[in-house]
Amino acid sequence: MNLIHNVDFVIAAICILLVLYISVGRKYSQISKSNYMFYRMVNTAMAQSIVDIFMNVSETYTELFPPIVSSITRMIFNFCTVLLAFFAYQYVKAYSNREEKEDKIQRVIDVMNWIVLIAFGVVGIINIPMGFLSYIDENGVFHNGELYWINYLIPLLLLVGILYTTIRKKAAYTKDQFIAIISFIVMVLGGVLIEFAIHYTTLTIMFSVSLSMLILQLSLEQSDLDLLELCLSDLMQQ
């Protein structure tokens, strides 16, 4: 099956995310807000990867899928991008606030994140009939709309919120954990830039997202679990 874009890296991303889904689901308690948000990140990235493949199938076999199907699929994909960035911010915030309360600036950022998420969802729905972000013509060919840049600006703003929270609450992390979060941001942006550079011939964004989430899992989630198990072991020996 020859698609308009190479989805090999997307399939690899699904495999990595499946491992994370099973690992996080079995090992970590959902009571912890940071664990819960990370689990949501995994679920969202998994759904987005599947939608990414279906989107390419629908835009390749235009004789089987009407333009409205491709438009709705692309809207879902773009919303998943924003939703993933939103959950990533909530994850970093929950992790950094375990030892202290939120400050006023962070509460403002939190409210703005909710507003942006809801507004983008509404804009995405309106775009389906109007096509100002993107649209599929009657021949099944994808076109950027006049405001297509919004699809990239909104997730970028959410990533800025993650970066700000991480730097401001640096004391809440170990050195490796801090580097892991910065690496998450850099790798996600790197996947986007690579996809731009090769003109979307191969889809790399979801692969970079899955690898960056694997780094988060190993550096933040696993280190917390190891520390908890060590503390329980010490208590049992006393």
Side-chain angles (χ1 to χ4, degrees), residues 172-211:
Y173 309 100
T174 66
K175 180 180 179 180
D176 290 343
Q177 291 171 341
F178 179 80
I179 292 175
I181 297 176
I182 300 300
S183 298
F184 171 82
I185 298 172
V186 172
M187 290 180 68
V188 170
L189 293 176
V192 174
L193 293 176
I194 290 173
E195 203 166 287
F196 276 157
I198 60 179
H199 305 290
Y200 303 100
T201 54
T202 299
L203 303 180
T204 59
I205 293 177
M206 296 314 302
F207 183 68
S208 65
V209 167
S210 64
L211 285 181

Side-chain angles (χ1 to χ4, degrees), residues 6-235:
N6 187 316
V7 296
D8 291 348
F9 283 100
V10 183
I11 295 173
I14 291 176
C15 294
I16 294 173
L17 291 167
L18 185 60
V19 172
L20 284 176
Y21 178 83
I22 296 173
S23 174
V24 173
R26 293 184 60 182
K27 283 187 176 182
Y28 304 103
S29 170
Q30 301 298 306
I31 297 177
S32 167
K33 187 174 181 180
S34 59
N35 291 347
Y36 179 64
M37 286 301 170
F38 187 79
Y39 198 59
R40 283 191 169 189
M41 287 173 63
V42 173
N43 290 339
T44 303
M46 178 80 75
Q48 186 177 7
S49 298
I50 295 172
V51 169
D52 200 6
I53 293 176
F54 181 77
M55 180 172 64
N56 279 276
V57 172
S58 66
E59 293 180 6
T60 300
Y61 298 96
T62 55
E63 68 278 6
L64 299 177
F65 299 94
I68 187 64
V69 173
S70 298
S71 296
I72 293 174
T73 305
R74 186 167 288 274
M75 183 273 290
I76 294 173
F77 177 84
N78 290 334
F79 182 74
C80 282
T81 302
V82 176
L83 187 62
L84 180 59
F86 175 81
F87 284 147
Y89 167 77
Q90 294 294 330
Y91 170 70
V92 170
K93 187 191 73 170
Y95 200 96
S96 62
N97 284 344
R98 292 184 300 180
E99 301 298 332
E100 55 183 277
K101 296 181 180 180
E102 292 183 12
D103 53 40
K104 291 183 179 179
I105 296 177
Q106 193 162 354
R107 283 197 293 270
V108 171
I109 295 176
D110 201 31
V111 171
M112 292 302 298
N113 271 263
W114 276 104
I115 293 174
V116 166
L117 178 66
I118 296 171
F120 188 83
V122 173
V123 169
I125 294 174
I126 297 174
N127 173 73
I128 295 176
M130 299 187 65
F132 51 82
L133 295 179
S134 62
Y135 64 94
I136 310 294
D137 63 24
E138 62 276 4
N139 297 317
V141 179
F142 169 78
H143 299 277
N144 289 330
E146 295 180 356
L147 301 178
Y148 185 72
W149 50 270
I150 291 178
N151 290 318
Y152 295 94
L153 176 63
I154 299 304
L156 181 60
L157 290 176
L158 293 176
L159 287 177
V160 170
I162 295 173
L163 182 61
Y164 171 82
T165 301
T166 303
I167 293 175
R168 198 158 188 269
K169 300 297 182 73
K170 185 178 179 181
Y173 309 100
T174 66
K175 180 180 179 180
D176 290 343
Q177 291 171 341
F178 179 80
I179 292 175
I181 297 176
I182 300 300
S183 298
F184 171 82
I185 298 172
V186 172
M187 290 180 68
V188 170
L189 293 176
V192 174
L193 293 176
I194 290 173
E195 203 166 287
F196 276 157
I198 60 179
H199 305 290
Y200 303 100
T201 54
T202 299
L203 303 180
T204 59
I205 293 177
M206 296 314 302
F207 183 68
S208 65
V209 167
S210 64
L211 285 181
S212 62
M213 289 178 64
L214 180 61
I215 291 175
L216 284 182
Q217 193 268 339
L218 294 175
S219 299
L220 277 77
E221 297 294 303
Q222 186 61 42
S223 63
D224 275 3
L225 181 63
D226 292 342
L227 179 61
L228 176 61
E229 291 177 345
L230 179 60
C231 291
L232 290 175
S233 177
D234 289 342
L235 287 173

